[in-house]
């Protein structure tokens, strides 16, 4: 056995030169492992890869722990993916540091080298990076290391977070994976006495339009129960000023612990923690309440198939299209404490069994308070299993594919957002302009709600907030209707919104750089719609639109705005079919109805060719309706080419208006 002289350098730092270190990639053997807990907590595999807890060095399940504390000699042997010559060895001692007594290495021929043997006086140290320097670069390549501990040297548990090797002369140091270029100094703004009080204001949820904030208030005299009670409150922002907060009252609040975790883009659907029972009691799960003309409905259980949560905490948040839910829970598939999961709405309205979102997001410790941004790609959450500034920090990650299990490496939001205390309940509006959260620092009482400008680097992909009304084209008065929002690329399931003018505008969040068909339908009316072209939008903004519904009347002409064809051809684009299907349905329901379909073009190109193209296009519409059971003698067609423009053909925008299909009822 060859023995190398050495000296030990112990440093805790906030910088990691990850490109210069190779972390252990496999466990070859171990003396014992902690067998309690859930999933992979404290297992040997937890020390693979880079450190999870340093530089803060607190105890955590994302580290290897032997079976018993103070048991005496314990050891673990780990391998490295690429054999390498080395100059230093680093051991991330997470908790109970100071027990490492020897480090032995092995080369490609399995020859053994002693790199470190502890002196008694060198064993006392705090948590951090235990660094072993070799006098020079090894002449051989190291494939594995065996680290031996005497766990009796430090009373209590001993945890190792990571083991690494490096050929660099530069010390390998612990790190926090920070979001890039986020300013360290950002101003935290208290929402003021209209929102905050001497009581606890926690768990804020901002509406997507940023104009209403919902939160949970504890131990307030105006709660349902005047002491030791949790109620849901809300406050509205008007002209830049937050108005006085109001208790949401019954049935949202009762004498139990009430809390909100989600509000829909139109402020009409709320998710509430726990299942509400008729006797006033609550149990684990989540409930939904909807706002109608008379107020909020009694919370009803939102059915989650095979829902199990062994943790005392749970979290729920629904994506902007209402079809995807992210949640925090602990079950048999959990990697540690609470993990992040995803569930999808089924055709019957229930939600699929929760699927673990994978190791990119989840650790052997806890992941809490998931918030899915309106881009349906960016997730913010709290974790205790990653290098950070305190017990729990807030991180951001972005979805990489449609599996919902592949995510970018989570980034810490930095010291402006994260402190040495507990940070959670991060919520942002669709604009991404501000982040809202709760804190006890500089509060009016205990925990208050604050906001902070959100730097561009950690904002979600911009979206557009579309608001609007549905009007009777004749009376110009609002009418209740179903509003349908369809991605013209047909890559998303259409969203269906029940618009009730007595409750307020319809609101929906749309992705930028796409086109949408926006349609309203109501029995007794012809459906009316328009195209929302966001292909050139790159920033958040709010749009307002009016949808006009025409009563089914003989002689009324309607432009079918969502009907489109291939360039210079009469092939219907797939995005046209939903509108034509609705026409077919209306004609099926009104079996004697006869209609006229007219086609028009702009004036670009040959006149005769345009005239023929307009005829071919309306004949193609007629042919398609025939496939839906509408016989040909109920449909007349006419093509006018460029002869009947509705706008001067001087700009592309005007020419687009002239390229149209019109629909007129001839007989009811």
């Amino acid at each position: 056995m060859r023995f190398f002289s050495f000296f030990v350098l112990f440093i805790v730092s906030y910088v990691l030169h990850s490109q210069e270190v190779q972390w252990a990639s496999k466990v070859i053997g171990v003396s014992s492992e902690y067998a309690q807990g859930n999933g992979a907590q404290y297992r040997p595999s937890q020390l693979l890869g880079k450190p999870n807890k340093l530089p803060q060095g607190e105890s955590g399940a994302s580290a290897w722990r032997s079976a018993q504390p103070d048991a005496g000699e314990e050891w673990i042997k780990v391998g490295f993916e690429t054999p390498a010559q080395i100059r230093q060895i680093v051991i991330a001692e997470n908790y109970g540091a100071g027990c490492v007594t020897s480090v032995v290495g092995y080369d490609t021929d399995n020859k053994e080298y002693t790199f470190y043997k502890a002196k008694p006086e060198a064993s006392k140290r705090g948590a951090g990076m235990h660094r072993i320097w070799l006098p020079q670069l090894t002449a051989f390549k190291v494939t594995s290391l065996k680290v031996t501990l005497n766990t009796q040297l430090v009373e209590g548990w001993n945890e190792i977070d990571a083991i690494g090797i490096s050929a660099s002369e530069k010390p390998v140091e612990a790190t926090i994976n920070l979001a890039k270029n986020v300013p360290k100094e950002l101003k935290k703004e208290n929402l003021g006495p209209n929102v905050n009080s001497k009581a606890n204001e926690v768990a804020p949820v901002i509406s997507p339009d940023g104009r209403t904030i919902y939160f949970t208030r504890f131990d307030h005299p105006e709660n349902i129960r005047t002491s030791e009670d949790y109620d849901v409150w809300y406050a509205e922002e008007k002209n830049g000023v937050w108005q006085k907060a109001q208790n949401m009252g019954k049935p949202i609040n009762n004498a139990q612990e009430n809390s909100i975790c989600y509000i829909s883009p139109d402020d009409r659907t709320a998710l509430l923690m726990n299942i509400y029972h008729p006797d006033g009691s609550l149990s684990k799960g989540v409930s939904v309440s909807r706002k109608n003309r008379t107020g909020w409905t009694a919370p009803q259980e939102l059915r989650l198939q095979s829902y199990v949560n062994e943790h005392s905490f749970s979290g729920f948040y629904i994506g902007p299209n209402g079809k995807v839910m992210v949640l925090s829970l602990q079950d048999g598939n959990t990697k540690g404490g609470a993990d992040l999961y995803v569930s999808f709405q089924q055709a019957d309205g229930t939600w699929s069994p929760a699927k673990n979102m994978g190791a990119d997001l989840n650790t052997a410790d806890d992941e809490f308070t998931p918030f899915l941004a309106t881009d349906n790609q960016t997730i913010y959450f709290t974790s205790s299993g990653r290098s950070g500034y305190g017990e729990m920090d807030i991180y951001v990650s972005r979805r990489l594919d449609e599996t919902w299990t592949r995510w970018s490496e989570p980034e810490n939001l930095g010291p402006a957002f994260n402190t040495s205390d507990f940070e959670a309940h991060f919520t942002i509006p669709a604009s991404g302009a501000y982040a809202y959260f709760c804190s006890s620092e500089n509060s009016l009482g205990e925990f208050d709600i604050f906001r902070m400008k959100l730097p561009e680097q950690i904002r979600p992909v911009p979206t557009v907030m579309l608001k609007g009304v549905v009007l009777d084209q004749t009376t110009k008065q609002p009418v209740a209707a179903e509003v349908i929002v369809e991605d013209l690329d047909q890559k998303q399931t259409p969203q269906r919104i029940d618009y009730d003018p007595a409750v307020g505008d319809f609101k929906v969040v749309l992705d930028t750089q796409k086109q949408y068909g926006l349609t309203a339908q109501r029995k007794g009316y012809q459906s009316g719609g328009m195209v929302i072209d966001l292909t050139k939008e790159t920033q958040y903004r709010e749009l307002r639109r009016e949808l006009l519904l025409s009563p089914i009347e003989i002689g009324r002409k309607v432009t079918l705005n969502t009907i489109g064809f291939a360039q210079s051809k009469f092939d219907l684009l797939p995005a046209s079919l939903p509108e034509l299907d609705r026409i077919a349905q209306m004609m099926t329901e009104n079996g004697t109805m006869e209609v006229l379909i007219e086609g028009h073009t702009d004036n670009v190109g040959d006149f005769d060719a345009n005239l023929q193209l307009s005829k071919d296009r309306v004949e193609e519409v007629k042919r398609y309706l025939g496939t839906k059971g509408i016989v040909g003698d109920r449909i007349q067609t006419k093509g006018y080419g460029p002869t009947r423009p509705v706008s001067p053909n001087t700009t592309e925008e005007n020419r687009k208006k002239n390229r149209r299909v019109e629909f007129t009822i001839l007989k009811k």
Side-chain angles (χ1 to χ4, degrees), residues 572-587:
L572 280 165
L573 295 177
S576 307
L577 306 187
E579 177 78 1
L580 294 179
D581 289 343
R582 284 188 282 270
I583 290 175
Q585 180 181 353
M586 178 180 66
M587 295 184 71

mmCIF file with all atom_site columns, all heavy atoms in Angstrom, residues 572-587:
data_model
loop_
_atom_site.group_PDB
_atom_site.id
_atom_site.type_symbol
_atom_site.label_atom_id
_atom_site.label_alt_id
_atom_site.label_comp_id
_atom_site.label_asym_id
_atom_site.label_entity_id
_atom_site.label_seq_id
_atom_site.pdbx_PDB_ins_code
_atom_site.Cartn_x
_atom_site.Cartn_y
_atom_site.Cartn_z
_atom_site.occupancy
_atom_site.B_iso_or_equiv
_atom_site.pdbx_formal_charge
_atom_site.auth_seq_id
_atom_site.auth_comp_id
_atom_site.auth_asym_id
_atom_site.auth_atom_id
_atom_site.pdbx_PDB_model_num
ATOM 1   N N   . LEU A 1 572 ? -59.358 23.503 -47.579 1.00 0.00 ? 572 LEU A N   1
ATOM 2   C CA  . LEU A 1 572 ? -59.674 24.049 -46.267 1.00 0.00 ? 572 LEU A CA  1
ATOM 3   C C   . LEU A 1 572 ? -58.540 23.777 -45.286 1.00 0.00 ? 572 LEU A C   1
ATOM 4   O O   . LEU A 1 572 ? -58.012 22.669 -45.210 1.00 0.00 ? 572 LEU A O   1
ATOM 5   C CB  . LEU A 1 572 ? -60.960 23.416 -45.726 1.00 0.00 ? 572 LEU A CB  1
ATOM 6   C CG  . LEU A 1 572 ? -62.281 23.966 -46.259 1.00 0.00 ? 572 LEU A CG  1
ATOM 7   C CD1 . LEU A 1 572 ? -63.420 23.011 -45.916 1.00 0.00 ? 572 LEU A CD1 1
ATOM 8   C CD2 . LEU A 1 572 ? -62.555 25.357 -45.694 1.00 0.00 ? 572 LEU A CD2 1
ATOM 9   N N   . LEU A 1 573 ? -58.190 24.806 -44.514 1.00 0.00 ? 573 LEU A N   1
ATOM 10  C CA  . LEU A 1 573 ? -57.214 24.607 -43.446 1.00 0.00 ? 573 LEU A CA  1
ATOM 11  C C   . LEU A 1 573 ? -57.886 23.883 -42.281 1.00 0.00 ? 573 LEU A C   1
ATOM 12  O O   . LEU A 1 573 ? -59.084 24.092 -42.011 1.00 0.00 ? 573 LEU A O   1
ATOM 13  C CB  . LEU A 1 573 ? -56.659 25.951 -42.983 1.00 0.00 ? 573 LEU A CB  1
ATOM 14  C CG  . LEU A 1 573 ? -55.832 26.729 -44.016 1.00 0.00 ? 573 LEU A CG  1
ATOM 15  C CD1 . LEU A 1 573 ? -55.413 28.084 -43.440 1.00 0.00 ? 573 LEU A CD1 1
ATOM 16  C CD2 . LEU A 1 573 ? -54.619 25.931 -44.449 1.00 0.00 ? 573 LEU A CD2 1
ATOM 17  N N   . PRO A 1 574 ? -57.148 23.030 -41.586 1.00 0.00 ? 574 PRO A N   1
ATOM 18  C CA  . PRO A 1 574 ? -57.748 22.295 -40.452 1.00 0.00 ? 574 PRO A CA  1
ATOM 19  C C   . PRO A 1 574 ? -58.413 23.206 -39.428 1.00 0.00 ? 574 PRO A C   1
ATOM 20  O O   . PRO A 1 574 ? -59.414 22.833 -38.808 1.00 0.00 ? 574 PRO A O   1
ATOM 21  C CB  . PRO A 1 574 ? -56.550 21.560 -39.851 1.00 0.00 ? 574 PRO A CB  1
ATOM 22  C CG  . PRO A 1 574 ? -55.591 21.399 -40.985 1.00 0.00 ? 574 PRO A CG  1
ATOM 23  C CD  . PRO A 1 574 ? -55.753 22.635 -41.823 1.00 0.00 ? 574 PRO A CD  1
ATOM 24  N N   . ALA A 1 575 ? -57.879 24.425 -39.262 1.00 0.00 ? 575 ALA A N   1
ATOM 25  C CA  . ALA A 1 575 ? -58.446 25.342 -38.273 1.00 0.00 ? 575 ALA A CA  1
ATOM 26  C C   . ALA A 1 575 ? -59.861 25.792 -38.641 1.00 0.00 ? 575 ALA A C   1
ATOM 27  O O   . ALA A 1 575 ? -60.589 26.325 -37.797 1.00 0.00 ? 575 ALA A O   1
ATOM 28  C CB  . ALA A 1 575 ? -57.538 26.557 -38.118 1.00 0.00 ? 575 ALA A CB  1
ATOM 29  N N   . SER A 1 576 ? -60.272 25.576 -39.904 1.00 0.00 ? 576 SER A N   1
ATOM 30  C CA  . SER A 1 576 ? -61.620 25.973 -40.335 1.00 0.00 ? 576 SER A CA  1
ATOM 31  C C   . SER A 1 576 ? -62.694 24.998 -39.878 1.00 0.00 ? 576 SER A C   1
ATOM 32  O O   . SER A 1 576 ? -63.885 25.353 -39.803 1.00 0.00 ? 576 SER A O   1
ATOM 33  C CB  . SER A 1 576 ? -61.669 26.060 -41.869 1.00 0.00 ? 576 SER A CB  1
ATOM 34  O OG  . SER A 1 576 ? -60.662 26.875 -42.381 1.00 0.00 ? 576 SER A OG  1
ATOM 35  N N   . LEU A 1 577 ? -62.311 23.786 -39.608 1.00 0.00 ? 577 LEU A N   1
ATOM 36  C CA  . LEU A 1 577 ? -63.302 22.727 -39.415 1.00 0.00 ? 577 LEU A CA  1
ATOM 37  C C   . LEU A 1 577 ? -64.194 22.909 -38.192 1.00 0.00 ? 577 LEU A C   1
ATOM 38  O O   . LEU A 1 577 ? -65.401 22.619 -38.269 1.00 0.00 ? 577 LEU A O   1
ATOM 39  C CB  . LEU A 1 577 ? -62.596 21.372 -39.376 1.00 0.00 ? 577 LEU A CB  1
ATOM 40  C CG  . LEU A 1 577 ? -61.694 21.069 -40.598 1.00 0.00 ? 577 LEU A CG  1
ATOM 41  C CD1 . LEU A 1 577 ? -61.187 19.639 -40.540 1.00 0.00 ? 577 LEU A CD1 1
ATOM 42  C CD2 . LEU A 1 577 ? -62.441 21.336 -41.914 1.00 0.00 ? 577 LEU A CD2 1
ATOM 43  N N   . PRO A 1 578 ? -63.682 23.359 -37.040 1.00 0.00 ? 578 PRO A N   1
ATOM 44  C CA  . PRO A 1 578 ? -64.603 23.540 -35.904 1.00 0.00 ? 578 PRO A CA  1
ATOM 45  C C   . PRO A 1 578 ? -65.756 24.489 -36.211 1.00 0.00 ? 578 PRO A C   1
ATOM 46  O O   . PRO A 1 578 ? -66.904 24.228 -35.825 1.00 0.00 ? 578 PRO A O   1
ATOM 47  C CB  . PRO A 1 578 ? -63.686 24.100 -34.807 1.00 0.00 ? 578 PRO A CB  1
ATOM 48  C CG  . PRO A 1 578 ? -62.334 23.557 -35.137 1.00 0.00 ? 578 PRO A CG  1
ATOM 49  C CD  . PRO A 1 578 ? -62.281 23.582 -36.634 1.00 0.00 ? 578 PRO A CD  1
ATOM 50  N N   . GLU A 1 579 ? -65.465 25.594 -36.930 1.00 0.00 ? 579 GLU A N   1
ATOM 51  C CA  . GLU A 1 579 ? -66.531 26.537 -37.279 1.00 0.00 ? 579 GLU A CA  1
ATOM 52  C C   . GLU A 1 579 ? -67.547 25.893 -38.218 1.00 0.00 ? 579 GLU A C   1
ATOM 53  O O   . GLU A 1 579 ? -68.767 26.036 -38.049 1.00 0.00 ? 579 GLU A O   1
ATOM 54  C CB  . GLU A 1 579 ? -65.913 27.775 -37.929 1.00 0.00 ? 579 GLU A CB  1
ATOM 55  C CG  . GLU A 1 579 ? -66.924 28.802 -38.415 1.00 0.00 ? 579 GLU A CG  1
ATOM 56  C CD  . GLU A 1 579 ? -67.505 29.648 -37.295 1.00 0.00 ? 579 GLU A CD  1
ATOM 57  O OE1 . GLU A 1 579 ? -67.117 29.453 -36.119 1.00 0.00 ? 579 GLU A OE1 1
ATOM 58  O OE2 . GLU A 1 579 ? -68.366 30.487 -37.588 1.00 0.00 ? 579 GLU A OE2 1
ATOM 59  N N   . LEU A 1 580 ? -67.066 25.145 -39.210 1.00 0.00 ? 580 LEU A N   1
ATOM 60  C CA  . LEU A 1 580 ? -67.975 24.468 -40.137 1.00 0.00 ? 580 LEU A CA  1
ATOM 61  C C   . LEU A 1 580 ? -68.776 23.384 -39.426 1.00 0.00 ? 580 LEU A C   1
ATOM 62  O O   . LEU A 1 580 ? -69.952 23.155 -39.760 1.00 0.00 ? 580 LEU A O   1
ATOM 63  C CB  . LEU A 1 580 ? -67.186 23.876 -41.301 1.00 0.00 ? 580 LEU A CB  1
ATOM 64  C CG  . LEU A 1 580 ? -66.508 24.908 -42.222 1.00 0.00 ? 580 LEU A CG  1
ATOM 65  C CD1 . LEU A 1 580 ? -65.740 24.211 -43.326 1.00 0.00 ? 580 LEU A CD1 1
ATOM 66  C CD2 . LEU A 1 580 ? -67.551 25.863 -42.826 1.00 0.00 ? 580 LEU A CD2 1
ATOM 67  N N   . ASP A 1 581 ? -68.170 22.733 -38.460 1.00 0.00 ? 581 ASP A N   1
ATOM 68  C CA  . ASP A 1 581 ? -68.912 21.728 -37.689 1.00 0.00 ? 581 ASP A CA  1
ATOM 69  C C   . ASP A 1 581 ? -70.068 22.367 -36.937 1.00 0.00 ? 581 ASP A C   1
ATOM 70  O O   . ASP A 1 581 ? -71.154 21.774 -36.806 1.00 0.00 ? 581 ASP A O   1
ATOM 71  C CB  . ASP A 1 581 ? -67.972 21.022 -36.710 1.00 0.00 ? 581 ASP A CB  1
ATOM 72  C CG  . ASP A 1 581 ? -66.985 20.107 -37.421 1.00 0.00 ? 581 ASP A CG  1
ATOM 73  O OD1 . ASP A 1 581 ? -67.216 19.769 -38.592 1.00 0.00 ? 581 ASP A OD1 1
ATOM 74  O OD2 . ASP A 1 581 ? -65.964 19.733 -36.793 1.00 0.00 ? 581 ASP A OD2 1
ATOM 75  N N   . ARG A 1 582 ? -69.847 23.589 -36.420 1.00 0.00 ? 582 ARG A N   1
ATOM 76  C CA  . ARG A 1 582 ? -70.926 24.266 -35.692 1.00 0.00 ? 582 ARG A CA  1
ATOM 77  C C   . ARG A 1 582 ? -72.049 24.668 -36.655 1.00 0.00 ? 582 ARG A C   1
ATOM 78  O O   . ARG A 1 582 ? -73.233 24.621 -36.300 1.00 0.00 ? 582 ARG A O   1
ATOM 79  C CB  . ARG A 1 582 ? -70.364 25.479 -34.951 1.00 0.00 ? 582 ARG A CB  1
ATOM 80  C CG  . ARG A 1 582 ? -69.593 25.102 -33.689 1.00 0.00 ? 582 ARG A CG  1
ATOM 81  C CD  . ARG A 1 582 ? -69.212 26.320 -32.881 1.00 0.00 ? 582 ARG A CD  1
ATOM 82  N NE  . ARG A 1 582 ? -68.064 27.016 -33.426 1.00 0.00 ? 582 ARG A NE  1
ATOM 83  C CZ  . ARG A 1 582 ? -66.806 26.774 -33.110 1.00 0.00 ? 582 ARG A CZ  1
ATOM 84  N NH1 . ARG A 1 582 ? -66.524 25.802 -32.257 1.00 0.00 ? 582 ARG A NH1 1
ATOM 85  N NH2 . ARG A 1 582 ? -65.818 27.474 -33.633 1.00 0.00 ? 582 ARG A NH2 1
ATOM 86  N N   . ILE A 1 583 ? -71.705 25.060 -37.868 1.00 0.00 ? 583 ILE A N   1
ATOM 87  C CA  . ILE A 1 583 ? -72.742 25.375 -38.864 1.00 0.00 ? 583 ILE A CA  1
ATOM 88  C C   . ILE A 1 583 ? -73.538 24.114 -39.195 1.00 0.00 ? 583 ILE A C   1
ATOM 89  O O   . ILE A 1 583 ? -74.776 24.142 -39.279 1.00 0.00 ? 583 ILE A O   1
ATOM 90  C CB  . ILE A 1 583 ? -72.101 25.976 -40.128 1.00 0.00 ? 583 ILE A CB  1
ATOM 91  C CG1 . ILE A 1 583 ? -71.562 27.371 -39.821 1.00 0.00 ? 583 ILE A CG1 1
ATOM 92  C CG2 . ILE A 1 583 ? -73.111 26.029 -41.271 1.00 0.00 ? 583 ILE A CG2 1
ATOM 93  C CD1 . ILE A 1 583 ? -70.811 27.997 -40.978 1.00 0.00 ? 583 ILE A CD1 1
ATOM 94  N N   . ALA A 1 584 ? -72.835 23.014 -39.392 1.00 0.00 ? 584 ALA A N   1
ATOM 95  C CA  . ALA A 1 584 ? -73.522 21.758 -39.688 1.00 0.00 ? 584 ALA A CA  1
ATOM 96  C C   . ALA A 1 584 ? -74.455 21.367 -38.558 1.00 0.00 ? 584 ALA A C   1
ATOM 97  O O   . ALA A 1 584 ? -75.581 20.892 -38.788 1.00 0.00 ? 584 ALA A O   1
ATOM 98  C CB  . ALA A 1 584 ? -72.486 20.656 -39.934 1.00 0.00 ? 584 ALA A CB  1
ATOM 99  N N   . GLN A 1 585 ? -74.006 21.570 -37.309 1.00 0.00 ? 585 GLN A N   1
ATOM 100 C CA  . GLN A 1 585 ? -74.851 21.235 -36.162 1.00 0.00 ? 585 GLN A CA  1
ATOM 101 C C   . GLN A 1 585 ? -76.103 22.111 -36.140 1.00 0.00 ? 585 GLN A C   1
ATOM 102 O O   . GLN A 1 585 ? -77.217 21.628 -35.893 1.00 0.00 ? 585 GLN A O   1
ATOM 103 C CB  . GLN A 1 585 ? -74.061 21.410 -34.869 1.00 0.00 ? 585 GLN A CB  1
ATOM 104 C CG  . GLN A 1 585 ? -74.870 21.070 -33.620 1.00 0.00 ? 585 GLN A CG  1
ATOM 105 C CD  . GLN A 1 585 ? -74.060 21.272 -32.344 1.00 0.00 ? 585 GLN A CD  1
ATOM 106 O OE1 . GLN A 1 585 ? -72.868 21.544 -32.392 1.00 0.00 ? 585 GLN A OE1 1
ATOM 107 N NE2 . GLN A 1 585 ? -74.717 21.143 -31.203 1.00 0.00 ? 585 GLN A NE2 1
ATOM 108 N N   . MET A 1 586 ? -75.933 23.420 -36.421 1.00 0.00 ? 586 MET A N   1
ATOM 109 C CA  . MET A 1 586 ? -77.081 24.330 -36.440 1.00 0.00 ? 586 MET A CA  1
ATOM 110 C C   . MET A 1 586 ? -78.070 23.922 -37.535 1.00 0.00 ? 586 MET A C   1
ATOM 111 O O   . MET A 1 586 ? -79.290 23.917 -37.316 1.00 0.00 ? 586 MET A O   1
ATOM 112 C CB  . MET A 1 586 ? -76.600 25.764 -36.671 1.00 0.00 ? 586 MET A CB  1
ATOM 113 C CG  . MET A 1 586 ? -77.730 26.793 -36.746 1.00 0.00 ? 586 MET A CG  1
ATOM 114 S SD  . MET A 1 586 ? -77.153 28.476 -37.022 1.00 0.00 ? 586 MET A SD  1
ATOM 115 C CE  . MET A 1 586 ? -76.470 28.339 -38.685 1.00 0.00 ? 586 MET A CE  1
ATOM 116 N N   . MET A 1 587 ? -77.570 23.539 -38.706 1.00 0.00 ? 587 MET A N   1
ATOM 117 C CA  . MET A 1 587 ? -78.460 23.144 -39.792 1.00 0.00 ? 587 MET A CA  1
ATOM 118 C C   . MET A 1 587 ? -79.108 21.793 -39.515 1.00 0.00 ? 587 MET A C   1
ATOM 119 O O   . MET A 1 587 ? -80.233 21.531 -39.968 1.00 0.00 ? 587 MET A O   1
ATOM 120 C CB  . MET A 1 587 ? -77.686 23.110 -41.112 1.00 0.00 ? 587 MET A CB  1
ATOM 121 C CG  . MET A 1 587 ? -77.194 24.488 -41.553 1.00 0.00 ? 587 MET A CG  1
ATOM 122 S SD  . MET A 1 587 ? -76.378 24.478 -43.176 1.00 0.00 ? 587 MET A SD  1
ATOM 123 C CE  . MET A 1 587 ? -77.803 24.187 -44.255 1.00 0.00 ? 587 MET A CE  1
#
